[in-house]
Amino acid sequence: MPTVYLVVPCYNEEDVLPETVKRLTEKMTAMIADGLADKDSRMLFVDDGSRDSTWELIENFSKENTLVGGLKLSHNRGHQNALLAGLMSAKEHCDCAISLDADLQDDIGVLDQFVEKFNEGCQVVYGVRSSRRTDTAFKRSTARSYYKFMKALGVEIVYDHADYRLMGKQALDALAEYKEVNLFLRGIVPLIGFRSDYVYYERHERFAGKSKYPLSKMLRFALDGVTSFSVKPLRIISNIGMIICCMSIIGLIYGLISFLTGSSVAGWTSLICSIWFLGGLQMFCIGIVGVYVGKIYSETKHRPRFIIEKEIIND
Ligand code: UDP
Ligand code: MG
């Protein structure tokens, strides 16, 4: 029987925590009773520097409920880093860890299937959404094009899989070797390898509280995914640059011919247009190169990705 840890990142989740703890406790108790999980199995709530009473709630729950463990980050480091902190701490105690969101949007009914696949020898089990019915049309279409775009850039990510996944101890040890600061777990986990499988589930609406991923954060996350895993944008830029060079040579030849035949005077409009166009394009290119330079900068600093302030794990 494996020791299963549920890793739950929480950022200002006081509205959902009591219900989440209740539902997960019921589920875990059932799994332990059914012989799917060892009695040392735990839920590990990672407080990602919340400003509300999230940590106090976790602390209080851990006093009356031995299944509840907590990890408090000293500062808000974002979903991915909070998850990593939880997984790295869980790996010292568990055989496998399952990450899930605090709002229980991901159906916890399939937790059994995750563990069964682990028992069959999978080190990584991806939770994949069977439909996107609960999403807005906007989110659905942008998500779909994003997966396609990533694939075109040669990044291996699992379609319609977010961060609902099981990782065995071995996979977690391997994950610990990835020292990058710009963390995009969905891209890293497939790189780790090992035997893997999928579990399909329905995603529900958030039952309380607000999404902690506004559009701006989501865009940053999406861009991070691209620039952390692919250098193709750089190549595309240099290709565009080359094409524009060729075009400008053609334009120059055309201008020379029309000048020699005396048919026209070079126009001010076309001149000013090209200055603006090239200026804009160059700035755009420099901007993208800058993103990569920024990444190199943050990677070379080797800053810690999280700092654990407190840890509770009941025996
Ligand atoms: N989260 C976090 N740190 C952050 C933002 C979010 O730990 O800076 C957690 C949040 O508490 C939740 C999970 O990440 O458990 C997913 O966030 P949310 O449900 O708001 O995202 P959505 O489901 O809307 O994409
Ligand atoms: Mg959510």
Side-chain angles (χ1 to χ4, degrees), residues 8-13 16 46-50 73 76-83 100-106 139 186 203 206 210-214 217-218:
V8 189
C10 311
Y11 178 54
N12 296 342
E13 297 287 13
V16 299
V46 184
D47 171 27
D48 183 17
S50 299
L73 302 194
N76 179 243
R77 301 295 289 120
H79 180 205
Q80 300 287 296
N81 285 311
L83 237 168
L100 69 165
D101 291 354
D103 51 19
L104 297 192
Q105 282 185 289
D106 307 315
K139 181 140 187 192
R186 282 164 225 196
R203 187 168 160 106
R206 205 175 227 279
K210 276 204 298 277
S211 170
K212 309 296 179 297
Y213 265 101
K217 229 181 194 177
M218 208 139 67

Side-chain angles (χ1 to χ4, degrees), residues 14 32-34 64 79 127 155-156 160 190 194 236 246 248 309:
E14 61 180 8
I32 294 170
D34 293 346
E64 60 203 43
H79 180 205
V155 186
E156 197 188 331
D160 272 356
F194 295 116
I236 294 170
C246 295
S248 64
E309 193 174 304

